[in-house]
Amino acid sequence: MQVQFGSCRIELAQGDITAEEVDAIVNAANSALAGGGGVDGAIHRAGGPQIMEETDRDYPDGCSVGNAVATGAGKLSATYVFHAVGPIWSGGDSGEPDLLTSAYRSCLELATERECRSIAFPAISTGVYGYPMDLAAEHSLATVRDFLIDRQKPALVRFVLFGAGAYGAYARVLESMTS
Ligand code: ADP
């Protein structure tokens, strides 16, 4: 599924984000940038040790929640990996939506600074961090849509969803944005 916002496009895909051929792949990292399971483990496995060497060297203090930092992409076909730290869901009254929005915006800012034309996001915080998928879809898609309308870049934002449930949740929200 894809929806155009001016000269920019949001696309939804189902699959493994490490196979994406885009300028930047976003990792759902933890604040220590220490590696982990889920999408983080998959990116480090597919990209090789170079990515972790760069985070250790350039960001020894890690990355705060709601922010993102950039490294090269090692063996991945992308040019960059943006390591975004989403919030841990703890009921929704602890600023989680603002922190999730901020994590996505940080990646979009990194993409525009680096002149990336395409970027792929996973559903940040919806795995181990427990953010409800429906809410994550609403909050992340609205953030990206607003950024694209405001800034008219990057040209392509793909959400690469792991499984039919995640894809369905995102498709319902994106569909509602077209009407
Ligand atoms: P977080 O700690 O931010 O919740 P996770 O990696 O546990 O991060 O999960 C984030 C989302 O990424 C989940 O929806 C999970 O199903 C999904 N995911 C896991 N592996 C991949 C992958 N290889 N490609 C795309 N999405 C993935």
Side-chain angles (χ1 to χ4, degrees):
M1 175 176 190
Q2 59 182 57
V3 174
Q4 201 75 26
F5 294 97
S7 59
C8 304
R9 189 162 82 240
I10 296 179
E11 283 184 3
L12 305 184
Q14 196 180 317
D16 176 4
I17 199 168
T18 63
E20 285 297 308
E21 296 189 352
V22 286
D23 294 333
I25 286 178
V26 175
N27 181 17
N30 52 56
S31 57
L33 302 179
V39 72
D40 195 336
I43 285 173
H44 284 292
R45 266 194 309 280
Q50 194 186 323
I51 299 176
M52 189 69 83
E53 283 163 20
E54 281 187 51
T55 54
D56 288 349
R57 184 191 66 212
D58 296 343
Y59 310 105
D61 298 328
C63 175
S64 58
V65 180
N67 280 308
V69 296
T71 65
K75 292 189 288 183
L76 301 175
S77 86
T79 306
Y80 301 105
V81 174
F82 299 154
H83 305 265
V85 184
I88 296 173
W89 181 261
S90 55
D93 293 329
S94 305
E96 295 94 329
D98 286 346
L99 290 166
L100 189 70
T101 293
S102 169
Y104 276 93
R105 283 193 68 90
S106 297
C107 293
L108 293 165
E109 293 287 358
L110 288 173
T112 51
E113 280 163 20
R114 285 165 176 70
E115 300 188 345
C116 296
R117 290 184 48 77
S118 55
I119 180 170
F121 282 103
I124 296 170
S125 285
T126 62
V128 177
Y129 281 7
Y131 209 106
M133 191 61 79
D134 291 345
L135 291 178
E138 273 177 41
H139 300 159
S140 59
L141 282 166
T143 303
V144 170
R145 176 204 55 198
D146 291 351
F147 191 95
L148 295 183
I149 290 171
D150 186 32
R151 305 279 284 276
Q152 287 298 305
K153 54 175 98 156
L156 172 64
V157 177
R158 275 167 79 82
F159 282 86
V160 182
L161 290 327
F162 213 51
Y167 185 90
Y170 271 73
R172 277 190 294 280
V173 174
L174 189 57
E175 181 76 49
S176 75
M177 289 179 172
T178 63
S179 51

